[in-house]
Amino acid sequence: MAVPVIGIGASAGGIEALGRFFDAMPCDSGCAFVVVLHLDPKRESELARILAAHTAMPVGQVEDGMRLCPDQVYVIAPDSDLKVSDGALHVCEPTQPRGHRHPVDVLFSSLAADQRERAIAIVLSGTGSNGTEGLRDIRAEGGMSLVQAPQTAKFDGMPRSAISAGMADHVLAPEEMPQTLLAFMRHGYLAAPADIEATSPDGEATLDQLLELLRVQGGHDFRSYKQATLRRRIHRRLGLGNIETLDAYIKALRADPAEVEALIGDLMINVTGFFRDPEAWKTLAEHVIAPMVAERRSGASIRIWAPACSTGEEAYSLAMLVTEHAEMAGKRFELKVFATDAQEANLRKARDGIYPGAALTGFPPSRLTRFFEKLNGSYQVNKELRDMVVFAPQNLLRDPPFSRLDLISCRNVLIYLEPDAQQKIIALCHFALRQDGCLFLGNAESIGRHEDLFEAVSKKWRIYRRLGATRHDLVAYPPPRGEPEPHMTNSPSPATPERSVTAAERARSALLEHYAPASVLIDQKGRVHYFHGTTRDYLENPPGEPTRDLLTMVRDGLAAQLRVAIREASKEERTVTVNARIRESQSSRTVAMTVMPLPASSQGRYLLVSFAPATPQHDPDLVAGSPGQSDVSAGERALQEELRAVRTELKETIAYLETANEELKAANEEAISMNEELQSTNEELETSKEELQSFNEELNTVNSQLQHKIGELETTTNDLNNLLAGSEAATLFLDEEFCIRWFSPATRDLFDFVASDIGRPIAHLARKFADDDLLRDVEAVLKHLTPIEAEVPSDAGRWYARRVLPYRTQDNRIAGVVVTFNDITDRKKIADAINDARLYAETIVRTVQHPLLVLGRDLRVETANEAFRELFAAFDEEPKGRLIFELGTGEWNNPTLRSLLDRILTEDDEIHNFAFEQESHRAGRKSMTLNACRLPQEGGLDDLILIAIEDITERKRFEEHREILVGELNHRIKNVMATVQAIASQTLGSATSMAEARTAFGSRLVALGKSHDLLTRENWAGANLWDIVSNTVEPHAGEPNRFTIDGPNVWLVPSAALAIAMALHELATNAAKYGALTTENGEVDVIWQLVGHGEDRRLHLQWRERDGPPVMPPTRKGFGSRLIQRVLSVELGGTAGVTYDKSGVVCTIDAPMPDSEDRSKTD
Amino acid sequence: MNSPTSKRVLIVEDEALLAMQLEDLLIDLGHEVVGLATRISIAIELARESRIDFAILDINVGGTKSFPVADILHQRGIRFVFATGYGVDGLMDGYRDATVLQKPYAREDLERAIARASCGAVQ
């Protein structure tokens, strides 16, 4: 046995319903479940995954060609249609555009076709009407449908649509469905389909009971329907209801009117299609339509009736056929096709005229385009065709037929009916056709007994032509429509209980009896509702079935006038009185009939017709004849009168009938046109409704997703708002047009924002800070996407770091900029202070004349001032950045210095007067002292080392020089003192008296002093011999030319100069005391010369006295002679001697005087 | 006169008068002046070769320091004193503790200096 397939369709809210269904569905039912959901074609479907959580059965998304396996769930893929055939699933492109899709119908239809009576379809929550059409097909094949109870569904559109179309076999909550499902499958209907007997001991009789029930309660008489079909369909209903016996089912029917309706619906199904049995239609066209078209003239009317038209395909087929033939013949006809069916649902579908493309296969393309409009996969009957067909409800077995028809197409109706019913209908068709009209039956049908009524046009294809006159006897006019439905058999007139007759009542009735004429109360239709008084003079009961129709009951002769009177009274609402003559066998009497319309009441409009004898009217038509002929004339006259009366009556009757006819025609036209208008409107609305519903379904799905997203978004927004409101950074969002998108509360220090400023361009708003570059920077950021920072001052004196960043959306699109302001006033103050301090320091460093170096912690030069650079002009390279030890030629690469520098930083030590020498090519040797200390920095920066260098070269030199000078001075003074001491001791040692000692000592000191003067003049570098000699002899000069001095320039060192000066002084003193200077003529010659060159040069000096007194050698050596001899010779390194010639004293000095010692000085 | 305490003295002095004065004083003290150098070069020669017991050195002799002479004398173990006008600061390393005679000095100063230099440890 093939796998049973259960198709499930749902839409909005379906996921929840499916979950509940599968939770309750056992996993071993042996069925395959195919799930179709109305999915958004653009999104991935999570459906399979979601459903898998509700069932142990494997759940998978469908792929084309998948075979159906038991106990598995197959889920439709988005943007596709799903069909079942031959135990496999077929996926195809959706045949209709979005908004017109009915994937559930597609599945159900294919399921019905594939599984037939074993098809089971389930419709769950959803909006719209998807699934209802598909259920029709399932129902037609005898399958079962389960629909979710609307009150249990999130969206009850689809369930309600199915239920209201009568297509729901069971209406249940999803969790209750599995039980029913399984029961149905195990029921005899499916399990043992061959067994169609009602399982009841009474068999036949019970079926009749059921049908009787249906007739009474349902208003439909199925006794004429074929029993076999009835049984089968009833059995199905048993299966659906999981009822085993017919008894139980009848009980159920009695109890449940809904089941009755359902059963009726099931029993009235018939199958139809366009041009069903093409050969038959071809024959029809050839033998009926074509001749008809040919013989009629253009403009004539053609009337066709298609009873039991179901969904209208047959009716449209007829219309199309006739139209095509008419066009072929070049004629136009007033074509009217009446299509009737007992079921409103069928008529609705027929009126819509929408058929799937499959229904129109076999159509030549011209027909398709001529009569249909394509609706993307299905076709709709176009206006032209639609206008040709009038759809109306009509029950073939019950209601009166149309009349004067050219063709009746009654196919595949009779086969469902019992032979008696068939014959009745055939007779009905005979009656309805005009003379030579044709009857077109289905293939399995025939005219049966009524061969006398029809002749065969095509026996094969069941086409018959009407024969003979209208047979009223065969057609039982059923009571007119409008009769209250049989199931409302409870008569409307309430049972009037016996009332106690009061005195008033008695009086009233007596009065009426006595004074009121015989009257009857009739309604608008002329039916009597009340007889008052003796009416037998005026009314009688006609033979035949009892009637309440007044006009039937009145005696001969009254009817015509009465009818007129009733009409008039009714129309004009006034009392009308007419006279009429009752024609009786012997006499006639005149009756006055008064018709009085009664005021309208809740029960309807009634008329009171009163009868009273009347005086016979003088009939103006009576002609007075001759007396002789009076008897004959009287008889003739009476006859003539009667004839006249009859003629009048006839005329009136004819007029009345004509009028009635006209009114009926008019009413009919009105009804038809109104009908058509309503149809068009209806069609439009239906279409719109369908589209809207379809979109609605999708929207619902998306909506629930969006709701969830909104919730998330709200949370995020709340977080964001709080974050931004709480942050102190003033933040501003601008869009690409520089308009404000959002601002944080903290911006009020910078802008005067109000809420309504959002959307305005930022340029329009006043700022409380100075920032000329803002807009330019925003533009730049938008273009280059790199942040830009700037520092801006506010008017309140605070500083802000303004940062502009691009505003990126989640999908990395740039949608504007973010501008943030951070208050950096304090930071800036500090930074500015630091900067100022640094500039201050740098200026100092730069300006100070002392060479200054600032080293960083790493002992690299941070700053070297001008003075440093000048001093160390030896440095070609830029000192900044280099290690101090590398500067120059590595003068500072000194371990001591290194360790000292380190200690500055580590122990806050200082370097004082670290002395070092430096040799450089240009600057020469320099002496420096170095002072260094730590230079702390603020703001967390590393300490620096400040090095001050002093070039003490000059100072050192000066000091050295001074030392030397002081030493020299000291030395000299000591020496002078020692010299004085020497002179003193010599003088005092050799003096003969104190006076002599004093004189000699004094003059020797003076001489010493003068020599010193001379030497001092030359800065103690030495003295010229000339000057010495001049100096010595000057105090003794007296008269000119006493002294003769002659000799070259000779430079003497200070000690030699002193010695010679002292010696000459002694000579001069002696000369003045004892020698040439004592006489007037005495003269002294001091003459010297240099002999030799270079190293061997010698000085020869002579002091010669002449023309003085005769000299005698001293008895002992005086200081002077000792001085001359010893000291001079020692000092000069030569010989010196004094001789005492007769002419005078002669002193001769001969000493080396090498050239190198000779510094020629030009005076 | 040659008494046991009489020394043979070398004088290194570039001022003639001072040299004369010193000679007189030494003679008065009973010593004998065996050499007088007014220049270092001569002084070095004499210091090396002369037979001397004592020397009196002027520190600054014609611009040149007499310390080389002192070195030679020290090597020969000959005692000496410095006579200077410069003061103690003029002394070089190694001779900081040497006996120094400040000019001008009296006869007694000289006598004491000679005695001290002769008795003290070898400088």
Short mmCIF file of all heavy atoms in Angstrom, two decimals, chain A residues 963-997:
data_model
loop_
_atom_site.label_atom_id
_atom_site.label_comp_id
_atom_site.label_asym_id
_atom_site.label_seq_id
_atom_site.Cartn_x
_atom_site.Cartn_y
_atom_site.Cartn_z
N GLU A 963 100.37 84.77 40.21
CA GLU A 963 101.19 84.04 41.16
C GLU A 963 102.66 84.25 40.88
O GLU A 963 103.47 84.49 41.76
CB GLU A 963 100.88 82.55 41.08
CG GLU A 963 100.21 82.04 42.33
CD GLU A 963 99.85 80.58 42.19
OE1 GLU A 963 100.78 79.79 41.90
OE2 GLU A 963 98.67 80.24 42.37
N ILE A 964 102.90 84.10 39.58
CA ILE A 964 104.30 84.29 39.20
C ILE A 964 104.78 85.68 39.58
O ILE A 964 105.85 85.87 40.17
CB ILE A 964 104.52 84.06 37.70
CG1 ILE A 964 104.26 82.58 37.37
CG2 ILE A 964 105.91 84.48 37.25
CD1 ILE A 964 104.18 82.31 35.90
N LEU A 965 103.91 86.64 39.24
CA LEU A 965 104.29 88.03 39.52
C LEU A 965 104.54 88.24 41.00
O LEU A 965 105.53 88.86 41.40
CB LEU A 965 103.17 88.96 39.05
CG LEU A 965 103.14 89.31 37.57
CD1 LEU A 965 101.99 90.24 37.25
CD2 LEU A 965 104.46 89.93 37.15
N VAL A 966 103.55 87.71 41.74
CA VAL A 966 103.70 87.89 43.20
C VAL A 966 104.99 87.23 43.68
O VAL A 966 105.75 87.81 44.48
CB VAL A 966 102.47 87.31 43.93
CG1 VAL A 966 102.75 87.17 45.42
CG2 VAL A 966 101.26 88.20 43.71
N GLY A 967 105.20 86.02 43.14
CA GLY A 967 106.42 85.33 43.52
C GLY A 967 107.67 86.12 43.16
O GLY A 967 108.61 86.27 43.95
N GLU A 968 107.55 86.62 41.92
CA GLU A 968 108.67 87.41 41.44
C GLU A 968 108.92 88.61 42.33
O GLU A 968 110.04 88.92 42.71
CB GLU A 968 108.40 87.92 40.00
CG GLU A 968 108.75 86.93 38.92
CD GLU A 968 110.24 86.64 38.89
OE1 GLU A 968 111.04 87.60 38.99
OE2 GLU A 968 110.61 85.47 38.84
N LEU A 969 107.85 89.28 42.61
CA LEU A 969 107.92 90.49 43.41
C LEU A 969 108.55 90.17 44.77
O LEU A 969 109.46 90.85 45.24
CB LEU A 969 106.52 91.06 43.60
CG LEU A 969 106.49 92.50 44.11
CD1 LEU A 969 107.17 93.42 43.11
CD2 LEU A 969 105.04 92.94 44.34
N ASN A 970 107.99 89.10 45.32
CA ASN A 970 108.50 88.66 46.61
C ASN A 970 110.01 88.40 46.55
O ASN A 970 110.78 88.87 47.38
CB ASN A 970 107.76 87.36 46.98
CG ASN A 970 107.67 87.20 48.48
OD1 ASN A 970 107.84 88.17 49.22
ND2 ASN A 970 107.41 86.00 48.89
N HIS A 971 110.33 87.69 45.54
CA HIS A 971 111.71 87.31 45.34
C HIS A 971 112.58 88.54 45.22
O HIS A 971 113.64 88.68 45.84
CB HIS A 971 111.78 86.42 44.09
CG HIS A 971 113.17 86.18 43.58
ND1 HIS A 971 114.00 85.27 44.15
CD2 HIS A 971 113.85 86.76 42.57
CE1 HIS A 971 115.17 85.27 43.50
NE2 HIS A 971 115.10 86.19 42.53
N ARG A 972 112.01 89.42 44.39
CA ARG A 972 112.82 90.61 44.16
C ARG A 972 113.02 91.41 45.42
O ARG A 972 114.10 91.85 45.75
CB ARG A 972 112.18 91.49 43.10
CG ARG A 972 113.08 91.71 41.96
CD ARG A 972 112.37 92.39 40.83
NE ARG A 972 112.01 91.43 39.84
CZ ARG A 972 112.90 90.73 39.17
NH1 ARG A 972 114.18 90.85 39.36
NH2 ARG A 972 112.50 89.87 38.25
N ILE A 973 111.96 91.57 46.12
CA ILE A 973 112.05 92.38 47.34
C ILE A 973 113.03 91.74 48.33
O ILE A 973 113.86 92.41 48.94
CB ILE A 973 110.67 92.55 47.97
CG1 ILE A 973 109.83 93.48 47.11
CG2 ILE A 973 110.79 93.10 49.39
CD1 ILE A 973 108.40 93.65 47.55
N LYS A 974 112.85 90.39 48.38
CA LYS A 974 113.78 89.69 49.28
C LYS A 974 115.21 89.89 48.85
O LYS A 974 116.10 90.17 49.67
CB LYS A 974 113.45 88.17 49.27
CG LYS A 974 112.11 87.83 49.84
CD LYS A 974 112.13 87.84 51.37
CE LYS A 974 110.77 87.61 51.95
NZ LYS A 974 110.32 86.25 51.80
N ASN A 975 115.33 89.76 47.57
CA ASN A 975 116.69 89.97 47.04
C ASN A 975 117.18 91.38 47.33
O ASN A 975 118.34 91.59 47.70
CB ASN A 975 116.70 89.71 45.52
CG ASN A 975 116.92 88.24 45.21
OD1 ASN A 975 116.99 87.43 46.15
ND2 ASN A 975 117.07 87.92 43.96
N VAL A 976 116.34 92.35 47.14
CA VAL A 976 116.76 93.74 47.37
C VAL A 976 117.18 93.90 48.84
O VAL A 976 118.20 94.51 49.15
CB VAL A 976 115.63 94.70 47.00
CG1 VAL A 976 115.90 96.08 47.58
CG2 VAL A 976 115.47 94.79 45.50
N MET A 977 116.32 93.33 49.67
CA MET A 977 116.66 93.44 51.09
C MET A 977 117.97 92.78 51.40
O MET A 977 118.76 93.31 52.20
CB MET A 977 115.54 92.78 51.92
CG MET A 977 114.28 93.61 51.93
SD MET A 977 113.17 92.95 53.16
CE MET A 977 111.69 93.71 52.61
N ALA A 978 118.10 91.61 50.77
CA ALA A 978 119.36 90.90 51.00
C ALA A 978 120.52 91.74 50.48
O ALA A 978 121.60 91.80 51.11
CB ALA A 978 119.31 89.54 50.31
N THR A 979 120.27 92.36 49.34
CA THR A 979 121.31 93.21 48.76
C THR A 979 121.64 94.36 49.70
O THR A 979 122.80 94.69 49.99
CB THR A 979 120.87 93.77 47.40
OG1 THR A 979 120.44 92.68 46.56
CG2 THR A 979 122.00 94.52 46.73
N VAL A 980 120.58 94.99 50.17
CA VAL A 980 120.79 96.11 51.10
C VAL A 980 121.54 95.62 52.32
O VAL A 980 122.46 96.29 52.84
CB VAL A 980 119.44 96.72 51.51
CG1 VAL A 980 119.64 97.71 52.67
CG2 VAL A 980 118.82 97.46 50.33
N GLN A 981 121.11 94.43 52.77
CA GLN A 981 121.82 93.84 53.92
C GLN A 981 123.30 93.67 53.61
O GLN A 981 124.18 93.99 54.44
CB GLN A 981 121.20 92.49 54.25
CG GLN A 981 121.71 91.87 55.55
CD GLN A 981 121.29 90.42 55.61
OE1 GLN A 981 121.27 89.71 54.61
NE2 GLN A 981 121.02 89.95 56.81
N ALA A 982 123.57 93.23 52.39
CA ALA A 982 124.97 93.01 51.98
C ALA A 982 125.72 94.34 51.97
O ALA A 982 126.84 94.45 52.50
CB ALA A 982 125.00 92.36 50.60
N ILE A 983 125.08 95.31 51.35
CA ILE A 983 125.72 96.63 51.27
C ILE A 983 125.95 97.17 52.68
O ILE A 983 127.05 97.69 53.01
CB ILE A 983 124.86 97.61 50.45
CG1 ILE A 983 124.81 97.18 48.98
CG2 ILE A 983 125.38 99.04 50.59
CD1 ILE A 983 123.85 97.96 48.11
N ALA A 984 124.91 97.01 53.49
CA ALA A 984 125.03 97.55 54.85
C ALA A 984 126.20 96.92 55.59
O ALA A 984 127.05 97.62 56.19
CB ALA A 984 123.72 97.31 55.60
N SER A 985 126.25 95.60 55.52
CA SER A 985 127.29 94.92 56.30
C SER A 985 128.66 95.26 55.76
O SER A 985 129.61 95.50 56.54
CB SER A 985 127.03 93.44 56.31
OG SER A 985 127.83 92.74 55.42
N GLN A 986 128.80 95.39 54.45
CA GLN A 986 130.09 95.75 53.84
C GLN A 986 130.47 97.16 54.23
O GLN A 986 131.60 97.44 54.65
CB GLN A 986 130.02 95.66 52.30
CG GLN A 986 129.95 94.25 51.76
CD GLN A 986 131.24 93.53 52.00
OE1 GLN A 986 132.35 94.13 51.85
NE2 GLN A 986 131.17 92.28 52.42
N THR A 987 129.49 98.05 54.09
CA THR A 987 129.79 99.46 54.36
C THR A 987 130.15 99.66 55.82
O THR A 987 131.18 100.28 56.17
CB THR A 987 128.57 100.35 54.03
OG1 THR A 987 128.11 100.04 52.72
CG2 THR A 987 128.93 101.82 54.14
N LEU A 988 129.32 99.11 56.64
CA LEU A 988 129.56 99.30 58.08
C LEU A 988 130.82 98.57 58.52
O LEU A 988 131.53 99.05 59.42
CB LEU A 988 128.34 98.78 58.88
CG LEU A 988 127.04 99.57 58.63
CD1 LEU A 988 125.86 98.89 59.32
CD2 LEU A 988 127.18 100.99 59.12
N GLY A 989 131.07 97.45 57.84
CA GLY A 989 132.27 96.72 58.20
C GLY A 989 133.54 97.49 57.89
O GLY A 989 134.55 97.41 58.61
N SER A 990 133.53 98.26 56.82
CA SER A 990 134.79 98.92 56.40
C SER A 990 134.78 100.41 56.71
O SER A 990 135.72 101.13 56.39
CB SER A 990 135.00 98.69 54.91
OG SER A 990 133.94 99.28 54.18
N ALA A 991 133.73 100.94 57.24
CA ALA A 991 133.71 102.39 57.51
C ALA A 991 134.58 102.69 58.73
O ALA A 991 134.62 101.91 59.67
CB ALA A 991 132.28 102.85 57.76
N THR A 992 135.27 103.86 58.65
CA THR A 992 136.13 104.26 59.78
C THR A 992 135.38 105.08 60.79
O THR A 992 135.79 105.21 61.93
CB THR A 992 137.36 105.07 59.26
OG1 THR A 992 136.86 106.13 58.42
CG2 THR A 992 138.28 104.19 58.45
N SER A 993 134.28 105.67 60.35
CA SER A 993 133.48 106.44 61.31
C SER A 993 132.01 106.31 60.99
O SER A 993 131.65 105.92 59.89
CB SER A 993 133.88 107.92 61.30
OG SER A 993 133.48 108.51 60.07
N MET A 994 131.23 106.60 61.97
CA MET A 994 129.78 106.55 61.79
C MET A 994 129.35 107.51 60.71
O MET A 994 128.51 107.18 59.88
CB MET A 994 129.03 106.92 63.10
CG MET A 994 128.89 105.74 64.07
SD MET A 994 128.07 104.30 63.41
CE MET A 994 126.42 104.92 63.35
N ALA A 995 129.95 108.69 60.68
CA ALA A 995 129.55 109.67 59.67
C ALA A 995 129.86 109.15 58.28
O ALA A 995 129.04 109.25 57.36
CB ALA A 995 130.26 111.00 59.94
N GLU A 996 131.03 108.57 58.15
CA GLU A 996 131.43 108.02 56.86
C GLU A 996 130.47 106.90 56.47
O GLU A 996 130.04 106.81 55.31
CB GLU A 996 132.87 107.52 56.95
CG GLU A 996 133.44 107.15 55.58
CD GLU A 996 134.73 106.31 55.73
OE1 GLU A 996 135.45 106.45 56.74
OE2 GLU A 996 134.97 105.47 54.83
N ALA A 997 130.23 106.09 57.46
CA ALA A 997 129.33 104.95 57.21
C ALA A 997 127.99 105.45 56.70
O ALA A 997 127.45 104.96 55.72
CB ALA A 997 129.17 104.15 58.49
#
